Amino acid sequence: MTAKAACSDFLHFFRSWISNPLRVAAIAPSGDSLARIMTSQIAELDGPIIELGPGTGVFTRALLARGISEADLTLIEYGPEFIDALQTRFPAARILQMDAAHLAQADIFEGEPVGAVISGLPLLSMSPRKIASILAGVFTYMRLGGAVYQFTYGPRCPVPRPILDRLGLKAVRIGGTVRNLPPASVYRISRRKPLELSRERLRFRDAEIEVAAFSGESAG
């Protein structure tokens, strides 16, 4: 990416943060150092891949650099201000403007073909119910052995422990970088054991998760 394009992306991202700081949650796009960690465990054979909250496409470019085919990428972006640029930069990718919390009901894939999910979503600014809906949704599409890669600016995993437990998931920190604004850590979230989450059962599972998340259990 040229210096001019990088400056344009920064201004675009900064304006989006000013207009909606809870949704964007950072004043600048993620840096190359964070992008390398986020995609370090992704191989060419992992496609197709879902990316949540691609923004200006920093992680998307890192995925392409690791050999993932652009046609194997499904980019889920809620912010309308990023859609045009994503379509221009990644014309072969499938780009869907939608709330990631509605993935389970969207039927964007048949079966469970997804090898990995890269998430740039600001989970720390989301409710426990929404975090649970997002994770339950992506794991309905995830094949066995697949994982979600999520970064955070906080000191621990951004997914509360009760949610991980209820969904049968585990989170492992795989790295971090201070060469990012702000410094960030990356977690790999995967199944503890085979888990079946049918779309019909999600509304009941969401209710259980919400109760547990607010019951005062330790996040660990």
Side-chain angles (χ1 to χ4, degrees), residues 147-219:
V148 174
Y149 295 89
Q150 173 71 53
F151 79 88
T152 182
Y153 302 131
R156 63 179 65 187
C157 178
V159 181
R161 181 61 180 271
I163 294 176
L164 293 172
D165 290 344
R166 287 282 176 167
L167 293 178
L169 303 175
K170 62 181 179 180
V172 177
R173 186 180 184 275
I174 64 169
T177 177
V178 296
R179 298 177 64 184
N180 193 74
L181 184 63
S185 296
V186 177
Y187 287 83
R188 182 182 191 271
I189 302 170
S190 59
R191 291 182 178 97
R192 293 179 186 170
K193 57 184 178 181
L195 178 67
E196 294 182 1
L197 287 173
S198 67
R199 292 169 178 78
E200 292 77 12
R201 292 170 55 198
L202 280 178
R203 69 181 65 182
F204 304 108
R205 189 64 74 95
D206 282 350
E208 292 177 354
I209 292 165
E210 185 176 22
V211 170
F214 287 103
S215 66
E217 299 178 45
S218 172

Side-chain angles (χ1 to χ4, degrees), residues 73 84 135 151 176 210:
L73 297 178
D84 287 346
L135 285 176
F151 79 88
E210 185 176 22

